[in-house]
């Protein structure tokens, strides 16, 4: 008979995972069936992806479509998949639908399970640590189950992310490319170097730019991890000068790495200097730790030399360029899709009454001395580096066509007016990585009962681990570096290119508070203060549910448009064109 402890874990890991996994599966299957019925023939890039996959299925490995830019990973996987499914599904599903089924499985199962495991590691949650407390306390058991529920719910939302979810029913490379990168990250957190190298190589077989998300991103994390493990528990005190940080990092090998929520602009510079100084002081140790990532980079460099470039085919339309504006477009992209999570930060900029300040984050934008130079730099990037790839303004089937028609062509001033939006979106996205809580400056306006309820609520919802909540500055620096390397060489702006930056940003957000834990006293107090306060409280306390509704709404709208708003080009009469990401 299972012990109460094991039974509790079965409940926590079983019911929660089954429920959210079922929601994802039902939603994904519904979208898959709709596309299969309404778009039975290969659409757009599927034409050459499916043609190549069928060539591999027929063992014609010497055949290669010159329009394909990525390696053969998807086609090898699809050929193996068809070997296993075609006998059973022949006559039931067409080969096109069977190939699309591979991405459905990849999205609703492989990405879901991998993300879920990653979140356990990223949140530093150790079931074994809680087990003793769980066996003794029902409150500890509730915390355990609430935390697991948040992980499962967060995983569901990540898998519903519209630019990723859309391709669960089409035969594109994005789903399995994303899965392989996540798999490499999971191997890293498990500490299995051989698996990291293997899964990173697999990721490169699906998309070349995955080199940045494996060798560079994981390599950067490995450097920080190695330096911290060398002197566990030691750090450099907050507020230290640049000279002190550089000296302590060089002499002691420790790094300056505050939480994002507690850092100012100078702290990012100090962290970079600290990591560089400590790495140079312990060069042999760092190089030994980086061996698999250096090997991975060397293999990729060999491929580029052998291939004569990064892309395999269609090289004339996929030339490397310096497109720094991509880093500006990233922030509105994150903010739009994560509006339920970031809107409290944006609302905090409004001149709200004092009593409403209790229900928005306490984060504030950088001081003017920092803000003005950043705005100037962004304006210069917009002026000198707004690149428009011919495909962007030539293909009206993609949403970016309409965005850039407004941004770049309607009025020359519009692209400059977008600069403050880039800045505020970047600030909100970065602030969300910190441990920002609702402002407590005006807490004395609340009743004593409400204050006591807030303390009880905060205590009951504290994460199981004892470490501070929120991402470290080093993680953000590595994420920004990797994203820059991944995006700035691409002249074409596509929502799919931003999937991994958003995904890794989202994975490292501190967990929001679930609605079900909201204290009745707090609800009653907030209602007395007014409906606006209640709205802000709901927005702050219900981000996961609102995120789910937001993603479902976007998926519903874009899915409906794709299926029902077909049109024809005069140059291709009788052929239905469809809107998509």
């Amino acid at each position: 008979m299972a012990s109460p402890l094991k039974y509790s874990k079965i409940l926590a890991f079983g019911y929660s995972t089954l429920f959210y996994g079922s929601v994802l599966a039902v939603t994904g299957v519904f979208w898959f069936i709709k596309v299969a019925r309404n778009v039975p023939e290969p659409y757009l890039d599927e034409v050459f992806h499916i043609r190549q996959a069928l060539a591999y299925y027929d063992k014609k490995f010497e055949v290669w479509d010159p329009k394909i830019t990525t390696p053969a990973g998807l086609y090898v996987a699809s050929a193996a998949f068809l070997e296993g499914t075609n006998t059973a599904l022949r006559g039931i599903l067409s080969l096109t639908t069977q190939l699309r089924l591979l991405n459905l499985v990849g999205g609703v199962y492989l990405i879901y399970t991998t993300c879920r495991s990653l979140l356990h590691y990223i949140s530093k949650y150790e079931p074994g640590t809680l087990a003793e407390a769980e066996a003794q306390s029902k409150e500890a058991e509730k915390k355990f189950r609430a935390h697991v529920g948040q992980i499962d719910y967060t995983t569901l939302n990540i898998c519903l992310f519209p630019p990723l979810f859309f391709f669960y029913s089409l035969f594109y490379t994005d789903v399995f490319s994303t899965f392989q990168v996540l798999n490499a990250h999971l191997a890293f957190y498990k500490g299995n170097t051989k698996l990291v190298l293997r899964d990173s190589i697999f990721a490169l077989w699906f998309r070349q730019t995955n080199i940045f998300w494996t060798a560079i991103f994981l390599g950067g994390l490995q450097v920080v991890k190695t330096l911290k493990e060398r002197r566990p528990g030691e750090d450099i005190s907050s507020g230290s000068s640049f000279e002190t940080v550089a000296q302590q990092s060089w002499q002691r090998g420790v790094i300056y790495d505050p939480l994002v929520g507690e850092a100012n602009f100078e702290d990012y510079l100090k962290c970079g200097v600290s990591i560089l100084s400590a790495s140079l002081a312990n060069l042999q140790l760092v190089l030994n730790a980086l061996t698999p990532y250096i090997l991975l980079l060397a293999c990729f460099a060999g491929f580029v030399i052998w291939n004569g470039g990064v892309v395999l085919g269609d090289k004339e339309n996929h030339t490397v360029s310096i497109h720094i504006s991509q880093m500006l477009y990233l922030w509105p992209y994150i903010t739009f899709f994560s509006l339920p999570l970031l809107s409290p930060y944006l609302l905090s900029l409004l001149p709200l009454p004092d009593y409403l300040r209790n229900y928005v984050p306490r984060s504030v934008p950088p001081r003017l001395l920092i803000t003005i130079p950043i705005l100037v730099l962004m304006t210069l990037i917009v002026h000198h580096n707004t690149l428009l790839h011919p495909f962007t303004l030539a293909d009206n089937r993609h949403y970016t066509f309409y965005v850039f028609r407004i941004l770049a062509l309607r009025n020359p001033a519009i692209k400059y007016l977008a600069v403050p939006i880039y800045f505020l979106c970047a600030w909100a996205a970065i602030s969300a990585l910190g441990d920002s809580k609702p402002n407590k400056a005006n807490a004395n306006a609340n009743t004593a009962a409400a204050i006591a309820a807030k303390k009880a609520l905060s205590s009951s919802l504290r994460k199981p681990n004892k470490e501070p909540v929120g991402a470290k500055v080093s993680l953000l620096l590595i994420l920004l570096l990797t994203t820059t390397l991944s995006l700035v060489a691409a002249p074409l702006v596509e929502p799919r290119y931003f999937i991994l930056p958003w995904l890794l940003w989202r994975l490292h957000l501190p967990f929001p508070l679930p609605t079900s834990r909201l204290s009745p006293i707090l609800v009653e107090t907030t209602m007395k203060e007014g409906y606006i306060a209640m709205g802000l409280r709901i927005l702050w306390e219900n981000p996961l549910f609102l995120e789910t509704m937001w993603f479902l709404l976007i998926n519903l709208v874009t899915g409906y448009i794709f299926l029902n708003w077909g049109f024809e080009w005069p140059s291709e009469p009788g052929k239905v064109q469809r809107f998509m990401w």
Side-chain angles (χ1 to χ4, degrees):
M1 181 176 178
S3 67
L5 174 60
K6 289 183 179 179
Y7 182 67
S8 158
K9 288 188 176 182
I10 291 172
L11 288 178
F13 283 93
Y15 291 169
S16 174
T17 305
L18 180 61
F19 174 75
Y20 292 114
S22 298
V23 171
L24 176 63
V26 169
T27 309
V29 169
F30 175 80
W31 171 235
F32 178 82
I33 292 173
K34 285 291 184 181
V35 173
R37 288 178 177 174
N38 290 274
V39 193
E41 299 299 319
Y43 180 68
L44 208 59
D45 291 0
E46 277 192 312
V47 173
F48 48 83
H49 285 314
I50 289 177
R51 187 166 57 223
Q52 186 62 50
L54 293 179
Y56 272 43
Y57 177 57
D58 292 333
K59 308 296 189 297
K60 298 176 182 178
F61 299 111
E62 73 283 358
V63 174
W64 187 259
D65 194 311
K67 284 292 184 182
I68 294 176
T69 61
T70 52
L74 180 65
Y75 317 118
V76 173
S78 60
F81 183 74
L82 286 179
E83 287 286 350
T85 63
N86 193 32
T87 301
L89 298 177
R90 185 185 293 121
I92 301 175
L93 299 178
S94 67
L95 287 174
T96 295
T97 305
Q98 288 183 53
L99 288 171
R100 291 171 173 175
L101 182 62
L102 178 64
N103 272 352
L104 177 66
V105 174
V108 302
Y109 177 69
L110 296 178
I111 291 181
Y112 179 83
T113 54
T114 306
C115 270
R116 186 180 184 278
S117 298
L118 261 175
L119 282 169
H120 276 282
Y121 283 99
I122 291 172
S123 64
K124 301 180 179 66
Y125 180 74
E126 300 176 4
T129 304
L130 186 60
E132 299 174 3
E134 185 186 77
Q136 302 171 6
S137 167
K138 285 191 174 293
E139 183 62 28
E141 180 184 339
K142 290 180 181 179
K143 290 181 184 179
F144 172 78
R145 297 179 65 177
H147 185 78
V148 172
Q150 283 191 347
I151 284 178
D152 289 331
Y153 201 170
T154 302
T155 304
L156 167 66
N157 285 354
I158 289 173
C159 292
L160 289 174
F161 180 53
L164 183 62
F165 180 85
F166 185 87
F167 293 100
Y168 291 174
S169 61
L170 295 175
F171 190 64
Y172 274 64
T173 60
D174 301 271
V175 173
F176 267 82
S177 172
T178 301
F179 163 66
Q180 290 297 347
V181 170
L182 292 175
N183 226 19
H185 284 231
L186 181 58
F188 171 83
Y189 280 103
K190 288 181 176 179
N192 193 324
T193 304
K194 291 181 180 179
L195 281 182
V196 171
L197 186 58
R198 185 202 68 181
D199 292 337
S200 296
I201 292 173
F202 285 168
L204 291 178
W205 270 83
F206 285 85
R207 184 165 290 168
Q208 297 92 316
T209 52
N210 288 341
I211 187 67
F212 302 116
W213 300 106
T214 52
I216 303 299
F217 188 87
L218 295 181
L221 293 184
Q222 183 63 58
V223 170
V224 173
K225 178 183 177 183
T226 300
L227 293 172
K228 287 185 175 182
E229 287 179 346
R230 181 177 176 274
R231 289 184 176 274
E234 295 188 30
D235 55 14
I236 301 174
S237 60
S238 178
S240 299
S241 65
F242 277 96
E243 182 181 357
T244 301
V245 168
Q247 185 179 30
Q248 291 293 319
S249 299
W250 177 264
Q251 293 177 351
R252 296 166 51 205
V254 296
I255 61 174
Y256 182 78
D257 194 13
L259 289 167
V260 170
E262 300 172 354
N264 55 35
F265 182 78
E266 290 83 356
D267 288 324
Y268 291 89
L269 301 178
K270 291 176 185 177
C271 181
V273 169
S274 175
I275 293 173
L276 180 60
S277 299
S279 298
L280 292 175
N282 299 274
L283 190 58
Q284 187 61 50
L285 178 68
V286 169
L287 289 177
N288 288 341
L290 286 178
T291 298
Y293 306 100
I294 294 173
L295 180 61
L296 194 62
L297 285 170
C299 292
F300 183 75
F303 161 77
V304 172
I305 294 171
W306 168 80
N307 184 54
V310 176
V311 298
L312 286 173
D314 201 20
K315 294 181 181 179
E316 62 276 9
N317 291 315
H318 293 82
T319 57
V320 175
S321 64
I322 305 300
H323 194 183
I324 305 173
S325 294
Q326 295 267 33
M327 288 302 295
L328 302 183
Y329 308 145
L330 169 68
W331 305 112
Y333 178 95
I334 289 177
T335 303
F336 171 75
F337 287 111
S338 296
L339 195 60
L341 306 181
L342 299 184
S343 53
Y345 296 89
L346 299 175
L347 288 172
S348 70
L349 299 173
L350 300 177
L352 300 173
D354 287 345
Y355 73 93
L356 293 181
R357 287 282 166 191
N358 293 320
Y359 309 113
V360 294
R362 61 172 178 260
S363 300
V364 294
R367 57 192 185 278
L368 285 178
L369 188 62
I370 302 300
T371 298
I372 292 176
I374 293 176
L375 288 174
V376 170
L377 178 61
M378 286 181 167
T379 304
L380 290 174
I381 292 172
V382 167
H383 182 75
H384 293 288
N385 198 243
T386 299
L387 304 182
L388 294 176
H389 192 280
F391 286 179
T392 302
L393 297 177
D395 193 341
N396 64 347
R397 295 169 296 187
H398 297 287
Y399 298 118
T400 49
F401 170 86
Y402 302 95
V403 172
F404 278 93
R405 282 194 58 158
I406 296 173
L407 191 64
L409 297 183
R410 178 158 296 184
N411 189 305
I414 292 179
K415 64 181 181 181
Y416 300 105
L417 295 176
V419 168
I421 297 175
Y422 298 147
F423 176 80
L424 292 176
C425 290
W427 166 76
I430 291 172
S431 296
L433 285 171
D435 184 21
S436 296
K437 297 291 190 298
N439 198 328
K440 297 180 181 179
N442 300 301
N444 57 354
N446 294 328
T447 63
I451 293 174
K454 285 183 180 179
K455 289 181 179 179
L457 179 67
S458 174
S459 175
S460 67
L461 292 174
R462 192 170 296 120
K463 294 179 69 173
N465 60 41
K466 296 181 180 180
E467 295 189 19
V469 180
K472 295 281 192 175
V473 167
S474 61
L475 172 79
L476 179 56
L477 289 178
I478 294 167
L479 179 59
L480 289 174
L481 173 63
T482 309
T483 304
T484 302
L485 293 173
S486 174
L487 293 179
V488 297
L492 187 62
V493 181
E494 282 201 36
R496 295 183 296 151
Y497 294 170
F498 298 94
I499 289 176
L500 280 172
W502 177 89
L503 187 60
L504 290 170
W505 171 84
R506 183 64 184 86
L507 281 168
H508 288 89
L509 286 184
F511 283 144
L513 305 180
T515 310
S516 59
R517 309 288 287 181
L518 194 59
S519 165
I521 298 178
L522 284 180
V523 173
E524 181 181 352
T525 304
T526 309
M527 290 185 69
K528 289 179 180 179
E529 291 176 346
Y531 289 105
I532 297 177
M534 187 62 180
L536 289 174
R537 168 61 70 178
I538 291 173
L539 188 63
W540 183 250
E541 301 289 0
N542 294 264
L544 284 176
F545 175 74
L546 293 177
E547 185 182 39
T548 306
M549 294 298 101
W550 181 238
F551 283 172
L552 289 176
L553 176 62
I554 296 173
N555 286 328
L556 179 65
V557 171
T558 53
Y560 182 85
I561 291 173
F562 177 74
L563 297 175
N564 297 286
W565 286 16
F567 62 97
E568 293 183 9
W569 285 345
S571 59
E572 299 182 17
K575 184 176 181 180
V576 179
Q577 309 297 336
R578 301 178 185 276
F579 297 102
M580 62 186 295
W581 292 111

